Amino acid sequence: MSGSVGIVTTQFAEFDVELRLESGRLLGPLTLAYETYGELNADRSNVILVAHAWTGDAHAAGKNTPDDRKPGWWDDMIGPGKVLDTDRYFVLCSNVIGSCKGSTGPTSTNPRTGKPYNLTFPVLMVRDMVRAQKLLLDRLGIDSLLTVIGGSMGAMQALEWSILYPEMVRSIIPIAGTGRTSPMAIALNALARQAIFNDPLWKKGNYKPEHPPADGLALGRAVGHISFLSDVSMQLKFGRRFSARHGQFDFFGQFEIERYLDYNGASFVDRFDTNAFLYLAKALDLYDVAWNFESLEEALDQLRCPSLWFAFTSDWLYTPSQTEEVVTVLRKLGKPVAYHLIESDYGHDSFLVEPEKFTPKVVEFLQRLD
């Protein structure tokens, strides 16, 4: 019988260090927000690291208070008797640096000025996020990961973990991921950036938190949200339904898909910081697993562990062919790799909307590892 992890507390680890970033700049001191579910076993060998996507956070399962309307973002996956069974595994999720959900990011205070970093925050890469997470695992006394699992930006983190720390990672499960961000994905993020830059309240990143560039951020989020969906999912959910007082020719009447994007954009402004959104988008654009290697082959040759990959047929943001490019190289290198193309109509968000389509494979994979 599957159950909830119950009430969980977000914890904060502080590090009085300066982390050298891929850009060459130093970032510190650092704070990392994280949550844990389940118990460490005697030899600390049952740890699963969950890596979140673009605007996710450390709160992956359970509720922080009894009054919370919704549980953590992957609550269907984490808990007693669930896919990531907390009766069996110690599950850890940490918020990435660059975010605004408890870890050090552009909203944090710059110790040199006593003011928020804003655009003085250094540009990050996914590899920097992983190195910061390694500080947290060292602090917790964890030197072995049964697996690193995540979707989208979480898949990028999983792959980076296996390349940076091959002696520590026993497997990875990248879902809806890519080895390098495509020009189309970068173009969509460029539109989101311009929407924010053109908002007069952005003020080159020096807006007041109580007066963010709400219109620009809402539009930027809407652009991103379109890429998470698919044509079929929009047809199923919205069709061509039109809402207007004066019929089809009401100039300000809206199709249901427009109303949906407006609603999601407005609600996003209430829960996420604009500069953090921009910095994480830049990290996504910069992502290339072959960064600082001679080739994709040289980068992937660092990986020593089994990997289980999933792509979704209707995902047009990180297409199946992008996942298959990585899988093909891993196979040529003789690495233990499994790949499943999952039929789904829900686009890039399939890993969140229809987990039941791929989770049996995850359970089998973890059981074989044990």
Side-chain angles (χ1 to χ4, degrees):
M1 184 71 179
S2 300
S4 171
V5 297
I7 304 299
V8 294
T9 300
T10 305
Q11 302 177 71
F12 301 89
E14 298 185 354
F15 303 90
D16 190 16
V17 299
E18 289 193 313
L19 183 68
R20 183 169 293 279
L21 306 175
E22 288 295 312
S23 66
R25 290 185 62 182
L26 298 174
L27 178 64
L30 295 176
T31 299
L32 283 181
Y34 69 100
E35 290 186 4
T36 65
Y37 322 99
E39 301 291 336
L40 275 168
N41 60 8
D43 61 359
R44 297 173 174 257
S45 63
N46 67 333
V47 181
I48 292 177
L49 178 63
V50 170
H52 68 73
W54 184 357
T55 58
D57 53 32
H59 183 44
K63 294 184 176 183
N64 290 142
T65 74
D67 297 328
D68 286 355
R69 289 179 56 212
K70 291 182 178 180
W73 56 271
W74 232 10
D75 190 71
D76 288 344
M77 290 278 288
I78 302 167
K82 295 182 181 179
V83 179
L84 306 183
D85 186 353
T86 51
D87 288 335
R88 188 172 191 169
Y89 306 117
F90 179 72
V91 182
L92 167 69
C93 182
S94 102
N95 184 222
V96 299
I97 55 172
S99 181
C100 57
K101 294 292 186 176
S103 294
T104 299
T107 63
S108 303
T109 299
N110 183 339
R112 290 167 180 80
T113 66
K115 299 177 181 179
Y117 279 103
N118 295 335
L119 294 198
T120 66
F121 196 75
V123 171
L124 296 174
M125 297 185 75
V126 173
R127 199 163 290 177
D128 299 318
M129 301 172 187
V130 169
R131 288 199 174 102
Q133 291 169 352
K134 176 64 161 57
L135 294 174
L136 175 61
L137 271 82
D138 290 345
R139 171 74 58 85
L140 297 175
I142 294 169
D143 58 14
S144 174
L145 291 170
L146 178 65
T147 200
V148 185
I149 181 172
S152 193
M153 191 178 82
M156 298 174 182
Q157 293 170 69
L159 184 54
E160 289 295 315
W161 262 101
S162 68
I163 288 171
L164 287 179
Y165 306 107
E167 72 291 342
M168 183 175 177
V169 178
R170 291 159 57 196
S171 71
I172 58 169
I173 307 175
I175 307 166
T178 180
R180 49 191 167 194
T181 304
S182 71
M184 190 199 73
I186 295 169
L188 290 170
N189 283 347
L191 291 178
R193 272 190 286 276
Q194 286 304 318
I196 292 167
F197 295 166
N198 289 338
D199 189 319
L201 290 180
W202 186 59
K203 299 178 180 178
K204 296 186 178 179
N206 294 312
Y207 52 87
K208 294 181 179 179
E210 62 271 24
H211 297 296
D215 290 345
L217 179 57
L219 180 54
R221 178 60 172 182
V223 171
H225 209 80
I226 292 168
S227 71
F228 305 154
L229 305 174
S230 72
D231 181 53
V232 174
S233 67
M234 286 193 235
Q235 290 280 4
L236 291 171
K237 190 167 185 176
F238 308 107
R240 289 181 47 82
R241 292 191 300 278
F242 189 81
S243 301
R245 291 180 182 177
H246 305 296
Q248 198 78 12
F249 298 102
D250 182 338
F251 187 79
F252 292 101
Q254 288 186 308
F255 287 94
E256 283 299 310
I257 181 61
E258 293 178 277
R259 289 161 58 88
Y260 173 78
L261 292 173
D262 284 349
Y263 170 79
N264 274 279
S267 61
F268 184 71
V269 170
D270 294 333
R271 69 177 182 86
F272 214 83
D273 173 68
T274 307
N275 285 339
F277 178 83
L278 290 168
Y279 271 87
L280 295 179
K282 181 63 72 174
L284 288 169
D285 290 348
L286 291 171
Y287 184 65
D288 182 351
V289 70
W291 167 258
N292 269 348
F293 290 97
E294 291 295 325
S295 63
L296 182 61
E297 288 76 11
E298 184 188 6
L300 295 176
D301 198 35
Q302 311 305 307
L303 185 148
R304 300 177 192 167
C305 64
S307 58
L308 173 64
W309 295 77
F310 295 100
F312 299 92
T313 52
S314 58
D315 186 350
W316 62 280
L317 181 62
Y318 299 151
T319 62
S321 64
Q322 293 175 39
T323 299
E324 289 159 8
E325 178 187 29
V326 177
V327 169
T328 297
V329 172
L330 288 172
R331 285 176 173 160
K332 285 181 179 177
L333 293 169
K335 307 294 182 179
V337 56
Y339 167 64
H340 300 280
L341 179 59
I342 307 298
E343 289 282 343
S344 177
D345 292 332
Y346 289 97
H348 188 62
D349 268 353
S350 295
F351 76 96
L352 295 171
V353 179
E354 293 189 311
E356 68 278 2
K357 287 195 169 182
F358 66 89
T359 48
K361 299 291 185 185
V362 175
V363 173
E364 292 172 12
F365 182 75
L366 293 174
Q367 287 174 346
R368 285 199 302 272
L369 285 174
D370 278 353

